[in-house]
Every structure is written in structure tokens, then in C-alpha cells.
Amino acid sequence: MQQPLLELQNMEISYDGQPMVTGVNLKMKQGEILGIVGESGSGKSTLIRATMGLLDCAGLVNRGDIFYKGQNVIDLDAEALRTMRGPEMGMIFQNCGSALCPIRTIGEQLYETMEQHGFKDRQEVRRRADTLFNKINLKDSERILNSYPFELSGGMNQRVGIVMAMILEPDLLFADEPTSALDVTVQAQVVKEMMALRDEFGTGIAIVTHNIGVVSYMADKVAVMCQGRLVEYGDTRDVIDDPQEAYTRALIQAVPRIRRR
Ligand SMILES: Nc1ncnc2c1ncn2[C@@H]1O[C@H](COP(=O)(O)OP(=O)(O)OP(=O)(O)O)[C@@H](O)[C@H]1O
Ligand SMILES: [Mg+2]
């Protein structure tokens, strides 16, 4: 049997000693797309940040294991985690603008990140960036690269964050509401690009979204979170056709079209 790309076992995560996420078990295969849905504050971002070793100092994984390609991430030191983040596990942040450094241009940040991961050839980085920018409708990549984050709109910064995560072609990509700041046309382009990444490189993608239409369209499996727990988890079709939880039913009923697909 193929080794899971990611396996979370009985995860419990707390902030300041207060458990916020409890008893989460899930498994992703290579190339699988997992949709994570759930109301605001249910612990979706917390779960992702913990998996990537990115909890702030108030946060702690109290219990459980995080196996990435069979290796327990909990056992890794900060340096090993840093090397892993980017080319192995990538992340599109919920609010990409604030994840960018405000006093350095997008280009400087992009080149530096790529250099840290062994991509020294700036022209090659530039070529890759241009191609990705173009695909998600960021037309003038010269201007983007020469800009500081505050000179760009929210939606532009969001797309910069998407490009920064995708350009390293990670094996597992976490996308925390990647499209919420974007208009619908661009949302569709981003969804298309993520699926292209999966098809081309076998990237596993865990996408947090409030848009059940996006989940229905792209996800193989769906996990529903409520108050720090996984209340529903299964194949997307099964969950959408026969939701067990009232919360999931309400989400789906808000988008009647997807039932008729
Ligand atoms: N850095 C932090 N310190 C303390 N508590 C936190 C921190 N980050 C999140 N929390 C708390 O943990 C809970 C889960 O938050 P989280 O951000 O994971 O929710 P979410 O499901 O991603 O919500 P949203 O859909 O609004 O993004 C919330 O009660 C939140 O207040
Ligand atoms: Mg969140």
C-alpha cells in the first residue's frame, strides 16, 4: 500500500493551555485534494499551522502525531522544519498580505526565498514567476516584482502569496482560504492552477474554504470542522449527497445548484 502523504493522528492543539482542536485524525494520499470547511473559529487555520510547525508561542500541540511521508514532524527541529517548508509542505496563508515583509519588494522576497531553497539562477526564477503570474491574471510582473506589498491591492498580494507557494512545487500544499480576497474570475483561475499543479506534479492539496462550490468542484475528500473537532470526514460526493451533520447540511443548502451536478 502506498505510504500516506500526510497522516494526522489524534491531534490536540491548545492556546495558552486551553485545548482548541481535539481528536483530529485524517489521512491524505499523494495527489489528493482535501477540502476543509467549518465555521469561523472552528480551528481550521490552527490545524494547518500546527501541521506546518507554524504555531505562534501561545500555541502547542499537546498530543498526537503528524506523519509527513512517514516521518513524524513533531520530532523535527526548527532547522529541519524550515528546510521542509516550501519545497515539501507549502502554504498559501489566509491573509497573504500580512505574511509578506512590508519593507522589501516582492521581487527581493521571492529571490531570497528561492535562493534559500537552492534556486540561484534569478532568470530562471523570473521565468517561472512570470508564467505563474500570467496564469492567475497578474499582468505586469515587472511592476509587481518591483513593488512593496503596500503598493499592491489585497487581491494582488493574495496572488503573490499563491505564486510564492506554488513556485517551489511543494508535494503538499496547504491553502488557507486562498481565494477569499479575489473576484470570481480570478478565483476560478486560481482553482484551475491548483488543479493543474496536482495533475502535473501529483501535489496533495488541503484547501480551507467557506465556498462549498469550490470544495464540490475540486476536492476528493472533505473534512468538516466544528468547535475544534472533525465532525464529518469522507469522500466529497458522499458528504455532499448525504451530509450527516446539521452544519454540513446548512452549508450545502446555501448552494442549491451543487446538488444537481
Ligand atoms: N494565536 C492565537 N492565540 C490564541 N488563540 C488563538 C490564536 N489563534 C487562534 N486562536 C483561537 O483558536 C480558535 C480557532 O481559531 P482558528 O483561527 O484556527 O479558526 P478558523 O477555523 O481558521 O476560523 P476562520 O474561518 O475565521 O479563519 C479560535 O477560538 C481562536 O480565537
Ligand atoms: Mg482561519
Side-chain angles (χ1 to χ4, degrees), residues 15 20 39-46 49 56 58 94 177 210:
Y15 288 113
M20 280 297 173
E39 60 202 9
S40 183
S42 58
K44 306 178 299 293
S45 298
T46 299
R49 285 200 298 264
D56 62 34
Q94 182 161 7
E177 295 186 40
H210 290 283

Side-chain angles (χ1 to χ4, degrees), residues 231-247:
V231 292
E232 197 150 2
Y233 176 46
D235 289 345
T236 304
R237 280 291 116 217
D238 295 344
V239 172
I240 284 180
D241 290 345
D242 187 22
Q244 301 299 308
E245 291 287 322
Y247 176 73

Side-chain angles (χ1 to χ4, degrees), residues 19-256:
M20 280 297 173
V21 168
T22 47
V24 170
N25 291 288
L26 59 82
K27 216 185 263 194
M28 285 178 72
K29 288 192 292 207
Q30 190 198 345
E32 178 177 314
I33 299 183
L34 170 70
I36 304 175
V37 298
E39 60 202 9
S40 183
S42 58
K44 306 178 299 293
S45 298
T46 299
L47 185 65
I48 288 182
R49 285 200 298 264
T51 305
M52 291 201 66
L54 282 176
L55 286 174
D56 62 34
C57 53
L60 185 72
V61 177
N62 292 336
R63 190 172 304 167
D65 290 299
I66 304 165
F67 292 101
Y68 174 74
K69 295 183 180 171
Q71 180 170 39
N72 200 339
V73 174
I74 304 270
D75 297 334
L76 297 178
D77 61 23
E79 184 53 35
L81 269 173
R82 232 191 323 273
T83 318
M84 178 183 247
R85 279 195 295 264
E88 291 287 345
M89 285 192 210
M91 170 94 166
I92 302 170
F93 288 90
Q94 182 161 7
N95 185 351
C96 287
S98 61
L100 294 164
C101 173
I103 55 161
R104 303 181 53 230
T105 65
I106 303 293
E108 286 170 59
Q109 297 184 59
L110 177 70
Y111 293 130
E112 188 193 86
T113 307
M114 294 302 279
E115 242 174 68
Q116 282 169 355
H117 292 290
F119 294 86
K120 308 271 187 232
D121 181 350
R122 287 196 168 202
Q123 277 184 337
E124 171 60 19
V125 172
R126 177 64 203 268
R127 255 195 308 277
R128 283 200 198 198
D130 283 358
T131 309
L132 279 170
F133 278 139
N134 205 21
K135 284 185 172 160
I136 55 174
N137 211 23
L138 267 185
K139 294 281 189 272
D140 188 353
S141 64
E142 180 76 28
R143 172 167 97 85
I144 305 283
L145 291 170
N146 288 327
S147 297
Y148 294 90
F150 71 85
E151 294 175 312
L152 302 176
S153 72
M156 286 166 130
N157 278 321
Q158 189 68 22
R159 276 174 282 172
V160 167
I162 290 167
V163 167
M164 292 240 195
M166 285 191 158
I167 199 168
L168 282 160
E169 293 163 7
D171 287 345
L172 174 57
L173 177 66
F174 290 103
D176 196 352
E177 295 186 40
T179 60
S180 52
L182 307 175
D183 71 54
V184 282
T185 328
V186 180
Q187 276 184 23
Q189 283 164 327
V190 169
V191 166
K192 212 172 111 211
E193 268 327 292
M194 283 196 278
M195 294 186 78
L197 197 69
R198 189 269 296 269
D199 294 342
E200 201 171 329
F201 303 107
T203 311
I205 301 174
I207 177 173
V208 174
T209 175
H210 290 283
N211 188 335
I212 195 83
V214 167
V215 171
S216 164
Y217 179 70
M218 68 184 291
D220 304 303
K221 287 197 167 182
V222 53
V224 183
M225 289 194 75
C226 187
Q227 296 181 357
R229 293 182 171 274
L230 265 197
V231 292
E232 197 150 2
Y233 176 46
D235 289 345
T236 304
R237 280 291 116 217
D238 295 344
V239 172
I240 284 180
D241 290 345
D242 187 22
Q244 301 299 308
E245 291 287 322
Y247 176 73
T248 319
R249 278 199 291 276
L251 262 185
I252 292 165
Q253 272 156 13
V255 195

